[in-house]
Amino acid sequence: MKILLLNNNFYGSYVSNQYFYSELVDACQELGVACTFVSCLEDAIAAIERQDISFSLCLGVFPYRLQGTPLYDLYNLPHYQWLSDNPLKFHLDHHSVNITYIFIDKQFPDIAGTLQQNPLILPLGYSKKKRQTFSDKKTNAILFPGQIRNLQSIRQQIKRSVYRKEIVEFLETYNYDSSYIQKLQTFTQGFSADKKIEIFRLTNSYLRTNKRIQAINSIHTLPVYIAGENYENPEIPENKNIRFIGKYDYFEIEKQMNRYRYVLNIDPNYHATIHERISRGINAGSISISNWNDVVNPDGGFSMAFRFDGTIPIDELIERATSDLSELHRQQSGFIRELSWKDSLERILYDFTQNKRGRLD
């Protein structure tokens, strides 16, 4: 068996192609599976024609087509497409039997539409070999690695949208602690694909920004450092406990995470998965704090989850935290124990062996 890894452009602020593929290559070696990596159309074609490729795999948008036909259909080759975000950010191939999508949230298939192959549900993994332990020497502060856009600019975009009425209605009826995906699926039932995408684009942009503003402005007990493409933002006054420290690349942000005692995740889009900020923060040796969802909540074993309705404010979570933060970090490390690239690759290999190999014989 040999896997063809395809380089491509991707969606997702904190997902690096270099990181993604290097981790998968390591996972292949650990499992004793051969793989080859290509970064252009010509090399992809050559690899498929000259090598015994079992299936191809890539992240984000499928990049390689010949006269408009994707290579997986041209060569009748099983292909796995790992989407790092909501499927409404992508133009999915609803017709091919050769492509299997990998969603990171089990609610995403609800809004993806009918696909020829059942999708897999696999969160992005993390590297176990780079795991850091918690240290009391960390700066007693909160790091939020994420962009906070200008809310007024988003409001202006909504006003100019042809679907302004529907977007405003959605925002006015959405409960910030409920599943955004389920609400969106119900609300856009029967709408055209383009209308769904536009409503998603603006409601997600508004909610993502507004939730981040609400959460960060609610923190008073500790300094908050915001790492991302953030400039002057009237909604978040830079004061004695809030500082913008600029954007860091994918690898540098882990070094920043390792400096701070807490790493904050604020994400309105996912509701049935663990955001990468959570696993990377824990892996960097920090305590992870996140908004509540179906997976990230005390009932699921995650003790540092807050609600937007104020039931459990972030300040209160920090005050409640055990005096032995090392033990809390060990508990959180157990919470993400199965989120490894090796575990995910095993799931993909199992799916291929059970469901796809027969078509090649």
Side-chain angles (χ1 to χ4, degrees):
M1 176 183 292
K2 178 175 284 189
I3 302 172
L4 178 64
L5 301 178
L6 304 173
N7 190 26
N8 59 286
N9 295 321
F10 59 92
Y11 284 83
S13 298
Y14 290 101
V15 179
S16 161
N17 268 347
Q18 182 182 353
Y19 177 83
F20 179 81
Y21 292 111
S22 65
E23 292 294 335
L24 279 177
V25 168
D26 288 347
C28 286
Q29 292 176 348
E30 192 173 350
L31 293 171
V33 177
C35 67
T36 186
F37 173 79
V38 297
S39 57
C40 66
L41 174 64
E42 293 76 13
D43 289 346
I45 292 173
I48 294 171
E49 291 183 344
R50 298 174 188 171
Q51 302 180 33
D52 185 20
I53 300 296
S54 299
F55 63 86
S56 56
L57 168 67
C58 68
L59 173 72
V61 180
F62 186 81
Y64 299 133
R65 300 171 185 272
L66 197 61
Q67 296 181 346
T69 302
L71 294 188
Y72 53 77
D73 279 345
L74 189 64
Y75 291 97
N76 195 33
L77 178 73
H79 173 72
Y80 289 87
Q81 191 72 23
W82 209 326
L83 302 186
S84 60
D85 212 323
N86 194 302
L88 284 180
K89 284 189 174 183
F90 305 85
H91 291 284
L92 303 186
D93 185 342
H94 295 280
H95 306 292
S96 177
V97 298
N98 292 311
I99 186 169
T100 298
Y101 287 102
I102 305 174
F103 297 144
I104 58 177
D105 189 312
K106 67 181 180 182
Q107 291 187 357
F108 281 169
D110 294 339
I111 60 175
T114 303
L115 302 170
Q116 293 300 311
Q117 296 285 352
N118 292 329
L120 297 180
I121 313 298
L122 294 173
L124 296 174
Y126 72 99
S127 175
K128 291 183 177 180
K129 64 177 180 289
K130 297 177 183 176
R131 182 183 298 170
Q132 303 290 323
T133 58
F134 180 82
S135 170
D136 289 329
K137 295 180 181 180
K138 288 175 176 286
T139 302
N140 189 24
I142 300 171
L143 175 70
F144 173 63
Q147 180 184 24
I148 303 177
R149 298 177 60 193
N150 187 293
L151 201 59
Q152 184 59 35
S153 174
I154 300 172
R155 290 191 182 106
Q156 292 300 321
Q157 292 180 49
I158 292 173
K159 286 183 180 180
R160 293 192 296 267
S161 174
V162 295
Y163 304 122
R164 175 183 178 276
K165 179 181 177 182
E166 291 89 340
I167 292 168
V168 171
E169 180 183 348
F170 181 93
L171 293 174
E172 288 179 345
T173 57
Y174 172 65
N175 180 325
Y176 274 28
D177 285 313
S178 63
S179 168
Y180 169 80
I181 300 169
Q182 290 178 343
K183 173 70 176 178
L184 185 68
Q185 167 67 4
T186 302
F187 187 82
T188 59
Q189 194 73 36
F191 290 180
S192 68
D194 288 343
K195 188 173 183 179
K196 283 185 179 183
I197 291 172
E198 175 70 359
I199 291 175
F200 162 75
R201 183 180 71 84
L202 288 173
T203 58
N204 180 59
S205 184
Y206 179 88
L207 291 170
R208 183 182 298 272
T209 301
N210 201 33
K211 284 189 174 186
R212 291 175 176 180
I213 290 170
Q214 283 190 27
I216 287 171
N217 282 340
S218 73
I219 301 171
H220 305 288
T221 57
L222 290 177
V224 181
Y225 294 87
I226 303 172
E229 290 181 347
N230 303 294
Y231 304 95
E232 290 186 11
N233 195 318
E235 307 284 347
I236 301 182
E238 189 167 7
N239 56 37
K240 64 180 180 180
N241 81 311
I242 297 178
R243 293 288 183 270
F244 296 99
I245 60 175
K247 183 180 179 180
Y248 292 82
D249 69 22
Y250 189 84
F251 298 98
E252 287 296 320
I253 198 63
E254 287 190 354
K255 296 178 182 178
Q256 289 298 312
M257 288 178 174
N258 189 250
R259 291 180 55 192
Y260 298 96
R261 187 166 292 182
Y262 303 95
V263 172
L264 176 63
N265 173 61
I266 314 166
D267 186 79
N269 200 336
Y270 308 157
H271 205 78
T273 192
I274 298 172
H275 193 280
E276 188 186 13
R277 269 188 295 270
I278 298 175
S279 56
R280 292 186 74 201
I282 296 170
N283 200 42
S286 300
I287 303 298
S288 184
I289 303 172
S290 179
N291 56 284
W292 189 292
N293 70 17
D294 282 353
V295 178
V296 183
N297 62 71
D299 291 340
F302 191 90
S303 62
M304 299 294 280
F306 65 91
R307 289 184 181 274
F308 288 99
D309 66 7
T311 305
I312 306 178
I314 296 173
D315 282 352
E316 185 178 337
L317 280 176
I318 294 171
E319 291 173 2
R320 286 186 189 181
T322 173
S323 58
D324 186 358
L325 293 178
S326 295
E327 176 58 29
L328 176 57
H329 183 260
R330 281 193 290 271
Q331 293 173 6
Q332 290 196 336
S333 296
F335 184 74
I336 63 167
R337 182 172 51 242
E338 301 303 321
L339 298 179
S340 74
W341 298 105
K342 174 177 174 290
D343 296 327
S344 295
L345 184 58
E346 283 182 321
R347 286 277 308 279
I348 296 169
L349 294 173
Y350 178 82
D351 182 81
F352 172 76
T353 302
Q354 297 298 312
N355 302 320
K356 310 296 190 300
R357 184 189 293 275
R359 297 194 297 106
L360 301 178
D361 297 334

